[in-house]
Amino acid sequence: MSPLDLSQIDRTWTLFLDRDGVINRRIVDGYVRNWSEWEWRPGVKAAIAEFSRRFGRVIVVTNQRGIARGLMSEADLAEIHRRMIAEVEAAGGHLDAVFHCPEGDDRAPCRKPNPGMLFRAADEFPALRWQKCLMVGDARSDMEMAWTVGIYAVFIGKPEAELREKVDLSFPGLPELAAAIRKR
């Protein structure tokens, strides 16, 4: 795969975003179980609005083991995602889809680092081309999922030394990624 050139990104590209730790504040050793526990990361809504103008598709892919553990229901998660989408739209952006994996078993095909959610997106969006996709996440499992299907891996936060060598790019947060794309 050729090096990631942000100046090449246009409406033919797809952006995959992890949720917890990237879009919203991650609850360490816990789960966002309802909207009252949701906290946007700074500048994320504006960044997603920027991505919505640049990418053809913006898709969230998120593991949600809290469902398997009985800490929240599918309905609880649907309400969180409904509100998340509404606030993104109010900020001038859009999310084309939100895929989640409720499974507790790490071997489940949809559970990151397994690529099931990416394959589901490819089924629902036939124009999607792996060579024109970015996966943005804050965990090794996000990067491994990207590498499994051969898409670009962008790390949010400070990757450990071993990951730093393998990821295509890293940024402190989505606003910095949006600014880097805007400059190109």
Side-chain angles (χ1 to χ4, degrees):
M1 187 162 56
S2 61
L4 177 56
D5 179 357
L6 296 177
S7 69
Q8 298 300 308
I9 294 172
D10 61 20
R11 303 288 297 160
T12 64
W13 283 68
T14 300
L15 176 64
F16 290 102
L17 297 172
D18 177 44
R19 197 192 82 177
D20 299 321
V22 174
I23 295 174
N24 61 290
R25 184 182 61 80
R26 176 184 301 281
I27 297 176
V28 178
D29 297 325
Y31 302 92
V32 176
R33 297 168 298 166
N34 56 61
W35 188 250
S36 68
E37 296 175 341
W38 179 272
E39 182 182 330
W40 289 96
R41 288 199 59 195
V44 163
K45 289 186 275 187
I48 293 174
E50 179 91 19
F51 299 145
S52 298
R53 290 187 288 277
R54 192 68 179 260
F55 288 84
R57 289 157 300 281
V58 180
I59 300 169
V60 174
V61 288
T62 178
N63 284 341
Q64 292 298 321
R65 185 179 269 165
I67 293 171
R69 292 185 173 168
L71 301 173
M72 66 180 142
S73 68
E74 287 280 351
D76 295 330
L77 185 64
E79 179 62 13
I80 291 167
H81 289 162
R82 184 192 69 74
R83 289 181 176 217
M84 175 184 72
I85 291 166
E87 289 200 15
V88 165
E89 289 174 351
H94 74 273
L95 296 171
D96 294 278
V98 179
F99 298 111
H100 73 279
C101 182
E103 303 296 327
D105 185 345
D106 287 339
R107 296 168 297 179
C110 65
R111 185 159 178 78
K112 292 186 261 176
N114 301 320
M117 288 185 281
L118 296 180
F119 292 141
R120 185 169 165 212
D123 287 344
E124 289 195 27
F125 298 95
L128 187 151
R129 297 292 174 260
W130 296 130
Q131 69 272 20
K132 290 187 172 188
C133 291
L134 268 72
M135 174 64 215
V136 179
D138 69 333
R140 172 179 285 280
S141 61
D142 299 316
M143 303 300 101
E144 289 175 355
M145 181 177 68
W147 298 329
T148 297
V149 297
I151 67 176
Y152 293 105
V154 177
F155 195 87
I156 295 299
K158 187 171 179 163
E160 58 195 54
E162 179 189 340
L163 277 181
R164 200 173 311 120
E165 304 290 323
K166 296 179 181 178
V167 299
D168 294 290
L169 294 171
S170 65
F171 295 92
L174 290 183
E176 292 82 5
L177 172 58
I181 291 171
R182 191 179 321 113
K183 287 180 188 175
R184 307 287 187 231

